[in-house]
Amino acid sequence: MIKPIQHRRCTLRDVAKAAEVSLSTASNALNGVGRVNVETRERVLRIARGIGFRPNALARSLLSRRSLTIGIITDDTYGRLTLPISSGVSEVLVDHGVSAFLCATSGDRRLAELHLQALLDKQVDGIIFTATRLDVEPPIDLTVLNVPVIYAFAAGPFLSTSFVPDDAHGAMLAIAHLQEAGCRDILHITGPESWLAARNRAEVYRNRCGPSSPVMFGAWSEEWGHEAIGRVLSARKKLPDGIFCGSDEIARGVLDGLRDHSISVPADVSVIGFDNWEVVSRQTRPPLTTIDMELKEIGHRAGLAMLQLTRGEPVEKGVIRLPCSLVRRESVVSRASVDTSPVP
Amino acid sequence: MIKPIQHRRCTLRDVAKAAEVSLSTASNALNGVGRVNVETRERVLRIARGIGFRPNALARSLLSRRSLTIGIITDDTYGRLTLPISSGVSEVLVDHGVSAFLCATSGDRRLAELHLQALLDKQVDGIIFTATRLDVEPPIDLTVLNVPVIYAFAAGPFLSTSFVPDDAHGAMLAIAHLQEAGCRDILHITGPESWLAARNRAEVYRNRCGPSSPVMFGAWSEEWGHEAIGRVLSARKKLPDGIFCGSDEIARGVLDGLRDHSISVPADVSVIGFDNWEVVSRQTRPPLTTIDMELKEIGHRAGLAMLQLTRGEPVEKGVIRLPCSLVRRESVVSRASVDTSPVP
DNA sequence: TTGAAAGCGCTAACAG
DNA sequence: CTGTTAGCGCTTTCAA
């Protein structure tokens, strides 16, 4: 039998007519509610499947007041964070039939407002706001909405719930890994001091490596990593044996600078990055050992929390810091094995 | 007057009641249709604004059969292409009140089907499919839907419309730029020959530089660029004066390899990349002159085309190749100025 | 066990 | 110029 092109999706009415039952019976049968004769139900089901019936979600939502739809508003122009996070979100939501609108605001307030209005008009069940750092305010006020809001990689206001990477944990992981590899003189080269993430990580660094340990704040760029190495080399008599970088890009600059001076990584000095941005960290020479912020997991948690909220269940409030993970590549090696390796 | 927290959004009925008119008058007034007394209209408008009335898009859509909603299905796990494209799409759509669902399939067929079903149930007005290359089939069949489909950075089936970067134009731009800079001996280092994009660009290269010009196919990685330079240096007596790379990552490896051999870029050889992936191309030493694929523009065009289709207007069919652009940084310089520069 | 009827929030005919 | 009525596609009482 040839399936005709359907210019109008078939409706419950079509099913009911074909099955020779009323609308409500068809509805009950399909949703498995109420008391429907087994045979009737089977027949309705079979026919519905046969004509490819799918209920109109719009009509359902209008009645149920749940649109099975959420909005993700992002500040991130670049996509580095947004795509992993939002695909994490929809991964956990799609099985519950909920879809996510993605709204990129590029930091433009007008655009953000436009998007927000459109989302609200479309009766989204909730909104997830995503940014690229924790210490800037969202461009729009989301505190007065009558839908739940979750913040991901962004710090929400009082009594909201935010999922963010645990920078301190990440820093700890990085430093502990260097120390376990035998590093005793660790240097920290990182981004601007104005960034909370940079300060948080630096604090952990100072706690573990001594309060006078040198933190080099700069830019989040490769160039800065390169330049920092130049400075270190001209200022210090002794090379550090480990360098903890605030980002993979900085680490790449560091690696580059070191190579320019014929200093070998990891033989002479171990280097660890932060971000696990694979386009960077997998392509360095040597491939970079680094800290992964588990962005997808942040998305998962945000999505799950949203699901609970839309069901009216309570959700933990406050800033929830999710653990980072260490990804071992080749830029860190045990000092011991370097020092004691016999020269053939 | 204190605005109470609205636990239920107010409806047209509320407005009508407050303005002491009927539902339809209120509707007409708000939509500026039919003949409504100026004073009445003003009053309705004022009251609507006062109580913050916004029409329920779900109810509207149910009636109008247009949901002002589209779906973007993407194959891209990484986000390199998807975010620029999809933000391009929603940039042109948001002003028309349409929002976009983003569905990341990670190439998983089941996931793709799930997402597609959810989109269709939600009555999207259309679907944009995005991938990362032009020569692979979408994981799902989109040809039998009863909503319009547009392909972006993906080649659709017969009689569909696709927007893709014009690889040949990009290659032409790159080579012309090198030639204008005086390069006479240009080498092409690119990705796997199995990729259509690589073959297309190589063809342009051969056309412009002579059919025997050497194309080095390899991987889309930095490592390959590096390795290729090693091979070139050990095989050839004379260095090329220009290198056209198939991607920024390859170019970065090339730059790196060249530096290892103390060959200066651009003084000794000019290098040009492809992609303008800024995390790579802005951070190389020297910053990379490269070809931008204008992803956002692809998104714009796809969004616009979708808008037309949803209005029932016709749209050009076939694969529409959008021009690339040259972004000049510092890895290409005129041979003339290099050769003839006076030594002080 | 089934069906008729009301209604989610809105728009569009058609009378008045 | 304004109001009444019907209905988008579905769920849900409440009678039969």
Side-chain angles (χ1 to χ4, degrees):
Chain A
M1 177 185 147
I2 296 166
K3 194 161 131 200
I5 296 168
Q6 299 162 359
H7 277 285
R8 203 169 130 282
R9 280 184 76 157
C10 51
T11 72
L12 186 60
R13 174 186 241 100
D14 300 324
V15 177
K17 201 175 298 171
E20 297 178 299
V21 293
S22 73
L23 273 175
S24 43
T25 302
S27 172
N28 286 339
L30 287 167
N31 296 315
V33 297
R35 7 197 90 271
V36 180
N37 188 319
V38 186
E39 289 161 25
T40 316
R41 168 167 29 249
E42 302 270 282
R43 180 159 39 94
V44 171
L45 252 42
R46 186 161 32 76
I47 288 175
R49 217 174 299 118
I51 64 178
F53 169 76
R54 300 238 87 217
N56 182 324
L58 257 32
R60 268 189 162 173
S61 302
L62 191 56
L63 217 45
S64 67
R65 292 152 184 294
R66 293 206 46 208
S67 64
L68 297 185
T69 273
I70 67 154
I72 301 178
I73 298 181
T74 178
D75 234 6
D76 179 16
T77 4
Y78 210 21
R80 156 69 182 123
L81 304 168
T82 297
L83 211 98
I85 293 176
S86 64
S87 73
V89 169
S90 47
E91 250 175 39
V92 303
L93 295 183
V94 71
D95 283 312
H96 297 265
V98 358
S99 312
F101 290 113
L102 184 66
C103 308
T105 67
S106 315
D108 177 341
R109 201 202 166 88
R110 183 200 77 101
L111 209 56
E113 235 128 46
L114 220 52
H115 269 128
L116 177 61
Q117 206 53 262
L119 292 177
L120 261 17
D121 288 353
K122 286 176 182 122
Q123 315 293 118
V124 291
D125 295 332
I127 287 178
I128 295 179
F129 178 80
T130 305
T132 51
R133 53 188 291 195
L134 314 179
D135 45 357
V136 289
E137 298 251 316
I140 36 173
D141 184 12
L142 300 172
T143 59
V144 294
L145 308 182
N146 48 15
V147 294
V149 178
I150 295 277
Y151 297 80
F153 216 114
F158 186 57
L159 284 185
S160 64
T161 122
S162 319
F163 295 93
V164 306
D166 189 340
D167 274 307
H169 174 253
M172 188 274 286
L173 238 39
I175 295 161
H177 185 58
L178 288 175
Q179 288 175 334
E180 277 158 22
C183 296
R184 291 293 161 261
D185 181 13
I186 300 174
L187 177 63
H188 184 32
I189 303 176
T190 189
E193 190 163 8
S194 59
W195 283 57
L196 180 62
R199 294 198 302 277
N200 283 163
R201 296 175 198 168
E203 192 187 333
V204 172
Y205 163 73
R206 287 207 189 92
N207 285 344
R208 295 189 69 109
C209 298
S212 61
S213 298
V215 177
M216 300 180 74
F217 290 105
W220 291 120
S221 73
E222 196 165 329
E223 195 181 350
W224 161 237
H226 197 263
E227 184 192 328
I229 287 303
R231 287 200 207 167
V232 168
L233 256 27
S234 61
R236 289 172 60 143
K237 45 272 124 219
K238 196 163 86 35
L239 215 58
D241 56 8
I243 302 180
F244 167 36
C245 301
S247 78
D248 287 353
E249 289 184 79
I250 291 174
R252 156 153 237 162
V254 164
L255 251 29
D256 237 38
L258 257 13
R259 193 168 46 244
D260 282 356
H261 293 274
S262 306
I263 297 166
S264 163
V265 175
D268 297 329
V269 44
S270 287
V271 174
I272 191 165
F274 207 107
D275 277 355
N276 194 27
W277 194 356
E278 304 212 339
V279 59
V280 179
S281 56
R282 288 179 86 117
Q283 305 265 332
T284 53
R285 287 189 298 150
L288 193 65
T289 291
T290 188
I291 301 299
D292 191 300
M293 295 189 286
E294 301 290 351
L295 297 173
K296 210 162 204 179
E297 179 63 14
I298 291 182
H300 287 161
R301 294 290 301 271
L304 252 19
M306 183 52 77
L307 221 45
Q308 289 180 245
L309 286 177
T310 59
R311 290 187 186 131
E313 300 165 15
V315 152
E316 184 182 349
K317 301 278 182 239
V319 176
I320 299 163
R321 294 172 204 284
L322 267 25
C324 298
S325 70
L326 174 71
V327 359
R328 294 162 196 262
R329 292 202 183 90
E330 297 164 31
S331 62
V332 174
V333 77
S334 165
R335 289 297 103 198
S337 73
V338 169
D339 293 339
T340 65
S341 64
V343 182
Chain B
M1 178 183 144
I2 296 164
K3 193 161 131 199
I5 297 168
Q6 300 162 358
H7 277 285
R8 201 171 130 284
R9 278 184 78 158
C10 50
T11 73
L12 188 60
R13 176 187 237 98
D14 299 325
V15 177
K17 199 175 301 170
E20 297 177 301
V21 292
S22 74
L23 272 175
S24 46
T25 302
S27 174
N28 285 339
L30 286 167
N31 296 316
V33 298
R35 9 197 86 273
V36 181
N37 187 317
V38 186
E39 287 162 27
T40 315
R41 165 160 38 243
E42 301 270 281
R43 181 156 41 92
V44 171
L45 252 43
R46 188 159 31 76
I47 286 174
R49 216 175 299 117
I51 65 179
F53 168 76
R54 298 238 90 215
N56 183 326
L58 256 34
R60 270 192 162 170
S61 303
L62 191 56
L63 214 48
S64 67
R65 295 150 182 297
R66 294 207 45 209
S67 65
L68 296 185
T69 274
I70 67 154
I72 301 178
I73 298 181
T74 177
D75 235 5
D76 178 18
T77 5
Y78 211 21
R80 155 71 182 119
L81 304 169
T82 298
L83 211 97
I85 293 176
S86 64
S87 73
V89 170
S90 48
E91 250 174 40
V92 302
L93 295 183
V94 70
D95 283 314
H96 298 263
V98 358
S99 314
F101 289 114
L102 183 67
C103 306
T105 67
S106 315
D108 176 342
R109 203 201 164 88
R110 184 200 74 101
L111 209 56
E113 235 129 45
L114 219 54
H115 270 128
L116 177 61
Q117 205 51 264
L119 291 177
L120 261 18
D121 289 353
K122 289 181 179 117
Q123 316 291 120
V124 290
D125 296 331
I127 287 179
I128 295 180
F129 178 80
T130 305
T132 52
R133 54 188 289 196
L134 313 180
D135 44 359
V136 290
E137 296 252 315
I140 37 173
D141 183 14
L142 300 172
T143 58
V144 294
L145 307 181
N146 48 13
V147 295
V149 177
I150 294 278
Y151 297 80
F153 215 114
F158 186 59
L159 285 185
S160 63
T161 121
S162 318
F163 294 93
V164 308
D166 188 340
D167 273 307
H169 174 252
M172 188 276 284
L173 239 37
I175 295 162
H177 185 58
L178 288 175
Q179 288 174 334
E180 278 159 22
C183 296
R184 292 290 161 263
D185 180 13
I186 299 175
L187 177 64
H188 184 32
I189 304 175
T190 188
E193 191 164 7
S194 59
W195 283 57
L196 180 62
R199 294 198 302 276
N200 282 162
R201 295 174 198 168
E203 191 188 333
V204 173
Y205 163 72
R206 287 206 189 93
N207 285 345
R208 294 189 70 107
C209 299
S212 61
S213 297
V215 177
M216 301 179 73
F217 290 105
W220 291 120
S221 72
E222 196 163 332
E223 195 181 349
W224 161 238
H226 196 263
E227 186 193 326
I229 287 302
R231 288 201 207 167
V232 168
L233 256 25
S234 62
R236 289 171 59 138
K237 45 272 130 217
K238 197 164 86 35
L239 214 59
D241 55 9
I243 302 178
F244 167 35
C245 301
S247 78
D248 287 353
E249 289 183 80
I250 291 175
R252 157 156 235 161
V254 164
L255 253 27
D256 238 38
L258 255 15
R259 192 165 51 241
D260 283 358
H261 291 274
S262 305
I263 297 166
S264 165
V265 175
D268 297 330
V269 44
S270 286
V271 174
I272 191 164
F274 206 108
D275 276 357
N276 195 25
W277 195 355
E278 302 212 340
V279 60
V280 179
S281 56
R282 287 177 84 118
Q283 304 265 332
T284 52
R285 288 187 297 150
L288 192 65
T289 291
T290 189
I291 300 298
D292 191 300
M293 294 188 289
E294 301 289 353
L295 297 173
K296 211 162 203 178
E297 180 61 14
I298 291 183
H300 287 162
R301 293 290 301 271
L304 252 20
M306 182 53 77
L307 221 44
Q308 288 179 246
L309 287 177
T310 60
R311 290 188 187 132
E313 299 165 16
V315 152
E316 184 181 349
K317 300 277 182 242
V319 175
I320 299 162
R321 295 174 203 282
L322 267 25
C324 298
S325 69
L326 173 73
V327 359
R328 294 163 195 261
R329 292 205 182 90
E330 297 165 30
S331 62
V332 174
V333 78
S334 166
R335 290 295 104 197
S337 74
V338 169
D339 293 338
T340 64
S341 64
V343 181

mmCIF file of all heavy atoms in Angstrom, chain B residues 184-209:
data_model
loop_
_atom_site.group_PDB
_atom_site.id
_atom_site.type_symbol
_atom_site.label_atom_id
_atom_site.label_comp_id
_atom_site.label_asym_id
_atom_site.label_seq_id
_atom_site.Cartn_x
_atom_site.Cartn_y
_atom_site.Cartn_z
ATOM 1 N N ARG B 184 55.746 31.745 -6.670
ATOM 2 C CA ARG B 184 55.781 31.057 -7.958
ATOM 3 C C ARG B 184 55.815 29.535 -7.776
ATOM 4 O O ARG B 184 55.583 28.779 -8.696
ATOM 5 C CB ARG B 184 57.020 31.484 -8.752
ATOM 6 C CG ARG B 184 56.992 32.919 -9.221
ATOM 7 C CD ARG B 184 55.947 33.107 -10.319
ATOM 8 N NE ARG B 184 55.589 34.522 -10.449
ATOM 9 C CZ ARG B 184 54.521 35.073 -9.881
ATOM 10 N NH1 ARG B 184 53.703 34.345 -9.159
ATOM 11 N NH2 ARG B 184 54.262 36.361 -10.047
ATOM 12 N N ASP B 185 56.136 29.118 -6.586
ATOM 13 C CA ASP B 185 56.289 27.687 -6.335
ATOM 14 C C ASP B 185 55.467 27.337 -5.092
ATOM 15 O O ASP B 185 55.953 27.408 -3.962
ATOM 16 C CB ASP B 185 57.782 27.380 -6.120
ATOM 17 C CG ASP B 185 58.011 25.897 -5.862
ATOM 18 O OD1 ASP B 185 57.086 25.092 -6.090
ATOM 19 O OD2 ASP B 185 59.121 25.555 -5.406
ATOM 20 N N ILE B 186 54.189 27.028 -5.355
ATOM 21 C CA ILE B 186 53.252 26.844 -4.244
ATOM 22 C C ILE B 186 52.994 25.362 -3.998
ATOM 23 O O ILE B 186 52.794 24.590 -4.936
ATOM 24 C CB ILE B 186 51.919 27.564 -4.545
ATOM 25 C CG1 ILE B 186 52.176 29.069 -4.726
ATOM 26 C CG2 ILE B 186 50.906 27.307 -3.449
ATOM 27 C CD1 ILE B 186 50.952 29.852 -5.149
ATOM 28 N N LEU B 187 53.000 25.014 -2.727
ATOM 29 C CA LEU B 187 52.757 23.627 -2.331
ATOM 30 C C LEU B 187 51.393 23.558 -1.636
ATOM 31 O O LEU B 187 50.980 24.505 -0.974
ATOM 32 C CB LEU B 187 53.870 23.211 -1.359
ATOM 33 C CG LEU B 187 53.803 21.823 -0.740
ATOM 34 C CD1 LEU B 187 53.939 20.755 -1.824
ATOM 35 C CD2 LEU B 187 54.924 21.672 0.293
ATOM 36 N N HIS B 188 50.704 22.435 -1.805
ATOM 37 C CA HIS B 188 49.398 22.282 -1.151
ATOM 38 C C HIS B 188 49.440 21.088 -0.196
ATOM 39 O O HIS B 188 49.652 19.964 -0.615
ATOM 40 C CB HIS B 188 48.324 22.079 -2.220
ATOM 41 C CG HIS B 188 46.913 22.003 -1.686
ATOM 42 N ND1 HIS B 188 46.498 22.684 -0.568
ATOM 43 C CD2 HIS B 188 45.818 21.330 -2.138
ATOM 44 C CE1 HIS B 188 45.211 22.432 -0.352
ATOM 45 N NE2 HIS B 188 44.779 21.615 -1.286
ATOM 46 N N ILE B 189 49.243 21.385 1.084
ATOM 47 C CA ILE B 189 49.213 20.326 2.095
ATOM 48 C C ILE B 189 47.797 20.300 2.663
ATOM 49 O O ILE B 189 47.326 21.315 3.178
ATOM 50 C CB ILE B 189 50.221 20.598 3.227
ATOM 51 C CG1 ILE B 189 51.625 20.763 2.643
ATOM 52 C CG2 ILE B 189 50.184 19.488 4.271
ATOM 53 C CD1 ILE B 189 52.671 21.161 3.681
ATOM 54 N N THR B 190 47.131 19.168 2.574
ATOM 55 C CA THR B 190 45.711 19.174 2.943
ATOM 56 C C THR B 190 45.281 17.893 3.651
ATOM 57 O O THR B 190 46.128 17.075 4.049
ATOM 58 C CB THR B 190 44.845 19.459 1.686
ATOM 59 O OG1 THR B 190 43.499 19.659 2.062
ATOM 60 C CG2 THR B 190 44.944 18.301 0.683
ATOM 61 N N GLY B 191 43.985 17.747 3.824
ATOM 62 C CA GLY B 191 43.431 16.612 4.568
ATOM 63 C C GLY B 191 43.299 15.364 3.710
ATOM 64 O O GLY B 191 43.909 15.258 2.648
ATOM 65 N N PRO B 192 42.485 14.414 4.148
ATOM 66 C CA PRO B 192 42.365 13.130 3.457
ATOM 67 C C PRO B 192 41.713 13.287 2.080
ATOM 68 O O PRO B 192 40.768 14.060 1.942
ATOM 69 C CB PRO B 192 41.442 12.318 4.367
ATOM 70 C CG PRO B 192 41.364 13.054 5.651
ATOM 71 C CD PRO B 192 41.643 14.477 5.363
ATOM 72 N N GLU B 193 42.205 12.543 1.129
ATOM 73 C CA GLU B 193 41.654 12.622 -0.218
ATOM 74 C C GLU B 193 40.208 12.137 -0.244
ATOM 75 O O GLU B 193 39.452 12.443 -1.161
ATOM 76 C CB GLU B 193 42.513 11.785 -1.179
ATOM 77 C CG GLU B 193 42.158 12.034 -2.630
ATOM 78 C CD GLU B 193 43.217 11.535 -3.604
ATOM 79 O OE1 GLU B 193 44.172 10.865 -3.147
ATOM 80 O OE2 GLU B 193 43.087 11.814 -4.804
ATOM 81 N N SER B 194 39.807 11.389 0.786
ATOM 82 C CA SER B 194 38.439 10.883 0.813
ATOM 83 C C SER B 194 37.418 11.997 1.057
ATOM 84 O O SER B 194 36.229 11.812 0.860
ATOM 85 C CB SER B 194 38.306 9.822 1.906
ATOM 86 O OG SER B 194 38.644 10.380 3.156
ATOM 87 N N TRP B 195 37.900 13.143 1.495
ATOM 88 C CA TRP B 195 36.964 14.244 1.714
ATOM 89 C C TRP B 195 36.777 15.035 0.433
ATOM 90 O O TRP B 195 37.747 15.509 -0.165
ATOM 91 C CB TRP B 195 37.489 15.188 2.802
ATOM 92 C CG TRP B 195 37.318 14.668 4.186
ATOM 93 C CD1 TRP B 195 37.795 13.492 4.679
ATOM 94 C CD2 TRP B 195 36.627 15.307 5.258
ATOM 95 N NE1 TRP B 195 37.453 13.353 5.994
ATOM 96 C CE2 TRP B 195 36.734 14.453 6.384
ATOM 97 C CE3 TRP B 195 35.935 16.508 5.392
ATOM 98 C CZ2 TRP B 195 36.161 14.769 7.613
ATOM 99 C CZ3 TRP B 195 35.377 16.827 6.620
ATOM 100 C CH2 TRP B 195 35.483 15.958 7.718
ATOM 101 N N LEU B 196 35.528 15.239 0.086
ATOM 102 C CA LEU B 196 35.204 16.015 -1.099
ATOM 103 C C LEU B 196 35.826 17.407 -1.050
ATOM 104 O O LEU B 196 36.381 17.895 -2.039
ATOM 105 C CB LEU B 196 33.673 16.139 -1.208
ATOM 106 C CG LEU B 196 33.150 16.934 -2.401
ATOM 107 C CD1 LEU B 196 33.566 16.250 -3.694
ATOM 108 C CD2 LEU B 196 31.631 17.078 -2.324
ATOM 109 N N ALA B 197 35.771 18.024 0.100
ATOM 110 C CA ALA B 197 36.296 19.385 0.231
ATOM 111 C C ALA B 197 37.780 19.411 -0.125
ATOM 112 O O ALA B 197 38.249 20.322 -0.811
ATOM 113 C CB ALA B 197 36.082 19.904 1.646
ATOM 114 N N ALA B 198 38.501 18.398 0.323
ATOM 115 C CA ALA B 198 39.933 18.341 0.024
ATOM 116 C C ALA B 198 40.153 18.173 -1.472
ATOM 117 O O ALA B 198 41.008 18.839 -2.063
ATOM 118 C CB ALA B 198 40.581 17.202 0.803
ATOM 119 N N ARG B 199 39.368 17.319 -2.074
ATOM 120 C CA ARG B 199 39.531 17.093 -3.519
ATOM 121 C C ARG B 199 39.189 18.351 -4.320
ATOM 122 O O ARG B 199 39.897 18.733 -5.234
ATOM 123 C CB ARG B 199 38.649 15.931 -3.976
ATOM 124 C CG ARG B 199 39.062 14.585 -3.397
ATOM 125 C CD ARG B 199 38.474 13.422 -4.181
ATOM 126 N NE ARG B 199 37.025 13.447 -4.238
ATOM 127 C CZ ARG B 199 36.221 12.969 -3.285
ATOM 128 N NH1 ARG B 199 36.735 12.431 -2.187
ATOM 129 N NH2 ARG B 199 34.921 13.008 -3.430
ATOM 130 N N ASN B 200 38.091 18.998 -3.936
ATOM 131 C CA ASN B 200 37.678 20.224 -4.643
ATOM 132 C C ASN B 200 38.750 21.300 -4.605
ATOM 133 O O ASN B 200 39.048 21.942 -5.593
ATOM 134 C CB ASN B 200 36.407 20.790 -3.993
ATOM 135 C CG ASN B 200 35.163 20.030 -4.408
ATOM 136 O OD1 ASN B 200 34.147 20.133 -3.759
ATOM 137 N ND2 ASN B 200 35.252 19.242 -5.474
ATOM 138 N N ARG B 201 39.314 21.463 -3.442
ATOM 139 C CA ARG B 201 40.318 22.517 -3.297
ATOM 140 C C ARG B 201 41.582 22.144 -4.058
ATOM 141 O O ARG B 201 42.212 22.981 -4.696
ATOM 142 C CB ARG B 201 40.644 22.735 -1.827
ATOM 143 C CG ARG B 201 39.466 23.255 -1.031
ATOM 144 C CD ARG B 201 39.812 23.305 0.428
ATOM 145 N NE ARG B 201 38.629 23.386 1.269
ATOM 146 C CZ ARG B 201 38.664 23.213 2.586
ATOM 147 N NH1 ARG B 201 39.812 22.934 3.193
ATOM 148 N NH2 ARG B 201 37.559 23.311 3.289
ATOM 149 N N ALA B 202 41.913 20.852 -4.018
ATOM 150 C CA ALA B 202 43.120 20.400 -4.703
ATOM 151 C C ALA B 202 42.981 20.608 -6.204
ATOM 152 O O ALA B 202 43.948 20.971 -6.896
ATOM 153 C CB ALA B 202 43.373 18.933 -4.385
ATOM 154 N N GLU B 203 41.766 20.421 -6.682
ATOM 155 C CA GLU B 203 41.555 20.586 -8.111
ATOM 156 C C GLU B 203 41.809 22.036 -8.541
ATOM 157 O O GLU B 203 42.468 22.289 -9.556
ATOM 158 C CB GLU B 203 40.120 20.187 -8.452
ATOM 159 C CG GLU B 203 39.886 20.060 -9.943
ATOM 160 C CD GLU B 203 38.417 19.869 -10.248
ATOM 161 O OE1 GLU B 203 37.695 19.337 -9.368
ATOM 162 O OE2 GLU B 203 37.996 20.257 -11.347
ATOM 163 N N VAL B 204 41.289 22.951 -7.747
ATOM 164 C CA VAL B 204 41.521 24.360 -8.042
ATOM 165 C C VAL B 204 43.016 24.656 -8.004
ATOM 166 O O VAL B 204 43.562 25.356 -8.859
ATOM 167 C CB VAL B 204 40.786 25.244 -7.017
ATOM 168 C CG1 VAL B 204 41.160 26.703 -7.209
ATOM 169 C CG2 VAL B 204 39.287 25.041 -7.130
ATOM 170 N N TYR B 205 43.648 24.098 -7.034
ATOM 171 C CA TYR B 205 45.099 24.294 -6.901
ATOM 172 C C TYR B 205 45.835 23.824 -8.143
ATOM 173 O O TYR B 205 46.680 24.525 -8.704
ATOM 174 C CB TYR B 205 45.571 23.527 -5.661
ATOM 175 C CG TYR B 205 47.057 23.283 -5.585
ATOM 176 C CD1 TYR B 205 47.943 24.337 -5.314
ATOM 177 C CD2 TYR B 205 47.581 22.012 -5.748
ATOM 178 C CE1 TYR B 205 49.309 24.119 -5.232
ATOM 179 C CE2 TYR B 205 48.933 21.775 -5.663
ATOM 180 C CZ TYR B 205 49.796 22.832 -5.409
ATOM 181 O OH TYR B 205 51.140 22.600 -5.334
ATOM 182 N N ARG B 206 45.465 22.638 -8.613
ATOM 183 C CA ARG B 206 46.143 22.099 -9.800
ATOM 184 C C ARG B 206 45.842 22.940 -11.035
ATOM 185 O O ARG B 206 46.674 23.149 -11.884
ATOM 186 C CB ARG B 206 45.719 20.652 -10.045
ATOM 187 C CG ARG B 206 46.321 19.694 -9.033
ATOM 188 C CD ARG B 206 46.450 18.290 -9.611
ATOM 189 N NE ARG B 206 46.819 17.327 -8.572
ATOM 190 C CZ ARG B 206 45.948 16.613 -7.868
ATOM 191 N NH1 ARG B 206 44.649 16.741 -8.085
ATOM 192 N NH2 ARG B 206 46.385 15.761 -6.950
ATOM 193 N N ASN B 207 44.611 23.414 -11.108
ATOM 194 C CA ASN B 207 44.243 24.256 -12.246
ATOM 195 C C ASN B 207 45.061 25.533 -12.301
ATOM 196 O O ASN B 207 45.432 26.005 -13.358
ATOM 197 C CB ASN B 207 42.757 24.621 -12.183
ATOM 198 C CG ASN B 207 41.893 23.454 -12.581
ATOM 199 O OD1 ASN B 207 42.394 22.490 -13.155
ATOM 200 N ND2 ASN B 207 40.610 23.533 -12.272
ATOM 201 N N ARG B 208 45.317 26.076 -11.149
ATOM 202 C CA ARG B 208 45.996 27.374 -11.142
ATOM 203 C C ARG B 208 47.510 27.259 -11.066
ATOM 204 O O ARG B 208 48.224 28.190 -11.418
ATOM 205 C CB ARG B 208 45.499 28.217 -9.975
ATOM 206 C CG ARG B 208 44.029 28.593 -10.124
ATOM 207 C CD ARG B 208 43.629 29.595 -9.072
ATOM 208 N NE ARG B 208 44.234 30.887 -9.305
ATOM 209 C CZ ARG B 208 43.585 31.950 -9.735
ATOM 210 N NH1 ARG B 208 42.294 31.869 -9.992
ATOM 211 N NH2 ARG B 208 44.209 33.099 -9.900
ATOM 212 N N CYS B 209 47.989 26.156 -10.533
ATOM 213 C CA CYS B 209 49.435 26.057 -10.337
ATOM 214 C C CYS B 209 50.069 25.015 -11.252
ATOM 215 O O CYS B 209 51.253 24.709 -11.124
ATOM 216 C CB CYS B 209 49.756 25.723 -8.883
ATOM 217 S SG CYS B 209 49.179 26.974 -7.729
#
